[in-house]
Each structure stands twice: as C-alpha cells, then as structure tokens.
Amino acid sequence: MSAILGLSTIGRSIAVIGGTGPAGMGLALRWARAGETVIIGSRDAARAEQAAQKIRQRVGKDAKVSGLENSAACAVTDVLMLTVPFEGQADLLKQLKTAIRPESILIDATVPLAASVGGRASRVLGVWQGSAAQQTAELVPKGVSVAAAFHNCSAEILNGDEDVDCDVIVCSDNPKATEIAMELAVKIRRIRAIDGGKLENARIVEQITALLIGLNIRHKGLGGVRITGLPEAAYRVGRDS
Ligand SMILES: NC(=O)c1ccc[n+]([C@@H]2O[C@H](COP(=O)([O-])OP(=O)(O)OC[C@H]3O[C@@H](n4cnc5c(N)ncnc54)[C@H](OP(=O)(O)O)[C@@H]3O)[C@@H](O)[C@H]2O)c1
C-alpha cells in the first residue's frame, strides 16, 4: 500500500519529539537498528545530542542518529513521533506550531496518566477531546495528520535487546498517517501492526496502557498486548518477524 500512496519512509528521517525519555529513546534505538534515519528531539539541543550519542554507541558506526532541539527537529522532517508526558503535551505542541511542517504526519504515543498530575500511574485522566491523541489533532497546524500508536509497548523492552512481543494498534482518521505508523511499527522485530480504526479509538488504546501498568505492578512484569483471532490480513508484520 505504501508504494501505491508513495509514502514510504525510505529516505526520510523520523523526528522523535521528547526523544530523550525512555519511550522515545526506545523507539529511536529500534528504528536506528532498522537502518532508519532518526533525529532525537529535546527542549535542550545538548541533551538531544547526548541521547543520540548513546544510541550511536549501541547501534554502531552506521547508525543514522542525530539530536536537535524539538523545533529544529520538526523543521527538517515531516514524520514526527511524539513521546512527551501528557502534562507537557499541549504547551509543547503550541510552541511547535510554527515549526511543524504542513503535511507532516505526527504519531502520538502520549498516555494521559493521572501520574502526570500527581495521581496513580494506573489511572487515566479524562481528556476533554476524548483522548490525548485527539487533543494533539486539535493543536497541530492545519494539514498535519495524526495517528495514535505505540501506547502499549513497554519502554523498558524497547530499550533492551530482546524482540518486542507486542501488537501496535494504530488509530487515525487519515490513511497516510495510519500507513506510516504501521510501516514504522513493523520495523521493530516481532511487533505486529493492526489498523485500529478512527482516531477516537485512541481513547481505548491509551486506557489499555493504564491497565498494563497496573498488571505489571501487580505481577512484576513487562506485559504488552496481543490481539488474537483476526484474519491474517489484519496483521502487518515486518520482514524479519
Ligand atoms: N514509558 C513507557 O513505557 C511508555 C510506553 C508507552 C507510551 N508512553 C508514553 O510516552 C510518553 C513519554 O513517556 P516517557 O516515559 O518517555 O516520558 P518522560 O521520560 O517523562 O518524558 C519524555 C521526555 O519528554 C520531555 N519532557 C518532559 N516534560 C516535558 C514538558 N513539560 N514539556 C515538554 N517536554 C517534556 C523530556 O525531554 P527533554 O527534557 O529532553 O525535553 C523527557 O525526556 C508519555 O506520554 C507516556 O505516557 C510511555
């Protein structure tokens, strides 16, 4: 499908906004290992470069990873991955509004956890728009398409060396955004990507993360999700998976 739409991420770079935290670093590491060009974004350019250096050290000299301040990162590519805490999401998107390129695809992994306002990490906050991803969609410049994805993968596993035993449910109102998010998901070994329908379904996917956090605390694990029983065509898998 990507060939039909002319949307392949080959030759593009992915800017991970808030990429210095565990979720962004884990995704950046996995994409760098898959040969993608990755830009770590941070509010601080030096911190971004330090994070990029850590990834280069782990992946090897061929890793195409650099670090930039968030707005500079947005300005150089049109594939953005947002991995910041919910408490900072809205303000950051407002600040980045002029830097985000029109026609960009923004993939949002934000979970509106109560922990971000001092509550329990296993509870979600109500978001007026329905979900953190729908809030993002309201705040990005016109022409930018938002997909919600990667909420249910443990950052700890992403930052490790084992395969990632998890399905990534992608929700978006835009087929291009769904396609890019699915394509990037299956660059990570053993991840399967599933089209989860409209962006409004992100509310449910975001809430699953809170459930997973609770389960992982209770059972001392790093659980993810697998959706079973769908026709084979519903599962996108990577070449190595
Ligand atoms: N951790 C997981 O396992 C996991 C899994 C799935 C989804 N998520 C979601 O992914 C997002 C990131 O998770 P994380 O654990 O990586 O979070 P985090 O470590 O708390 O934050 C990630 C980065 O965001 C930046 N940041 C922090 N506060 C900010 C603010 N107020 N405004 C702008 N930027 C800010 C920081 O980078 P700089 O200081 O360098 O700018 C930080 O390194 C969260 O929404 C989380 O719910 C996490």
Side-chain angles (χ1 to χ4, degrees):
M1 183 173 176
S2 62
I4 298 166
L5 294 170
L7 289 166
S8 171
T9 49
I10 294 163
R12 291 191 196 200
S13 46
I14 309 149
V16 185
I17 306 305
T20 55
M25 282 278 278
L27 290 168
L29 172 72
R30 297 289 176 158
W31 288 328
R33 279 184 179 153
E36 294 289 318
T37 303
V38 183
I39 303 158
I40 303 278
S42 166
R43 289 168 293 180
D44 180 86
R47 199 156 51 238
E49 182 43 43
Q50 279 164 13
Q53 199 178 344
K54 276 191 200 155
I55 293 178
R56 288 196 296 270
Q57 279 165 356
R58 287 188 65 185
V59 177
K61 63 176 172 43
D62 293 333
K64 293 172 279 186
V65 187
S66 55
L68 289 173
E69 186 277 323
N70 285 326
S71 57
C74 289
V76 294
T77 183
D78 51 13
V79 180
L80 310 176
M81 178 75 228
L82 183 67
T83 53
V84 295
F86 179 69
E87 76 211 50
Q89 185 206 39
D91 283 348
L92 182 65
L93 287 169
K94 285 176 198 161
Q95 285 162 30
L96 296 177
K97 200 151 191 172
T98 53
I100 297 177
R101 289 161 41 157
E103 311 295 317
S104 290
I105 304 290
L106 187 150
I107 306 164
D108 191 356
T110 311
V111 181
L113 290 175
S116 66
V117 290
R120 287 172 55 174
S122 53
R123 294 223 177 109
V124 275
L125 294 168
V127 184
W128 190 84
Q129 291 83 350
S131 63
Q134 287 167 288
Q135 174 171 278
T136 292
E138 266 195 20
L139 292 170
V140 291
K142 208 161 179 261
V144 174
S145 303
V146 174
F150 299 106
H151 307 83
N152 307 143
C153 293
S154 148
E156 201 169 326
I157 293 180
L158 286 170
N159 280 290
D161 298 318
E162 303 293 320
D163 290 350
V164 182
D165 185 16
C166 188
D167 288 343
V168 167
I169 301 165
V170 178
C171 304
S172 179
D173 296 332
N174 182 286
K176 287 198 238 176
T178 299
E179 179 57 27
I180 296 283
M182 289 181 74
E183 195 182 315
L184 288 176
V186 301
K187 299 262 170 183
I188 302 171
R189 272 171 64 102
R190 281 212 69 207
I191 281 186
R192 299 184 307 188
I194 300 170
D195 181 348
K198 285 178 170 293
L199 192 65
E200 67 186 36
N201 291 339
R203 181 177 56 85
I204 303 158
V205 182
E206 290 170 9
Q207 292 193 2
I208 291 172
T209 304
L211 173 68
L212 286 171
I213 292 169
L215 290 173
N216 288 335
I217 292 169
R218 179 179 296 270
H219 300 289
K220 299 182 176 47
L222 294 172
V225 289
R226 286 292 195 196
I227 306 294
T228 61
L230 297 176
E232 212 175 303
Y235 301 101
R236 178 87 59 93
V237 293
R239 266 188 312 186
D240 295 341
S241 294

